[in-house]
Amino acid sequence: MASEPSTQSRVMFQAADKTEEPAHRKLGKLTVKYNRKDLQKRLDIEEWIDGQLHLLFDCEEEDIPELEIDIDELLELSDEGQRTRLQELLQECGKPKEDFINGLLYRIKGLRKMSGPLKK
C-alpha cells in the first residue's frame, strides 16, 4: 500500500510572515510623493526652456553658452527676484529676452519646489 499516492508523506514549506508589497503598490507610493502631473509639467517646462534657448541664441545646442536655469532656485525667489535672476543668466544673449522671461515665469506659477533625489 505504500505505492498509493494518498498514503505518501508530503513536505510543505511555508513562507515567513513577511508580507511584501506588490510592485504596483510601491509605484503608487512614489507617485503620491512626486505627483505625476507635477513631474510631467516640470519636464514640459524644461523642454520648452531648451527649445527657447535655441531660438534665443540662434545656434546649435553645443554652441549655447554654459547656462543653467534652476527651476527650484527660481521658485525660492520673489517674482521680481525671479525676473532679475533670469536677466542675469541671459545677459550674454543679444536678442530680446523679455518674451522668454515672461513665458517662463508664467509657466512656473503654481509649480512646487522639488526635493530629494529627483532634483537635478
Side-chain angles (χ1 to χ4, degrees), residues 16-73:
D17 284 345
K18 294 180 182 177
T19 55
E20 293 186 25
E21 295 182 27
H24 68 278
R25 183 153 178 116
K26 289 180 182 177
L27 178 62
K29 284 184 177 179
L30 176 70
T31 57
V32 169
K33 187 171 183 181
Y34 302 109
N35 184 316
R36 286 182 190 206
K37 288 181 182 178
D38 288 346
L39 290 173
Q40 186 61 52
K41 185 175 180 181
R42 184 175 286 265
L43 179 62
D44 292 343
I45 290 171
E46 289 177 359
E47 289 174 350
W48 180 85
I49 290 171
D50 188 50
Q52 292 300 307
L53 290 177
H54 285 285
L55 295 174
L56 279 174
F57 287 95
D58 197 25
C59 60
E60 296 300 317
E61 185 171 343
E62 57 272 359
D63 297 330
I64 293 177
E66 191 65 33
L67 179 69
E68 183 177 339
I69 297 175
D70 186 343
I71 294 173
D72 286 330
E73 177 189 341

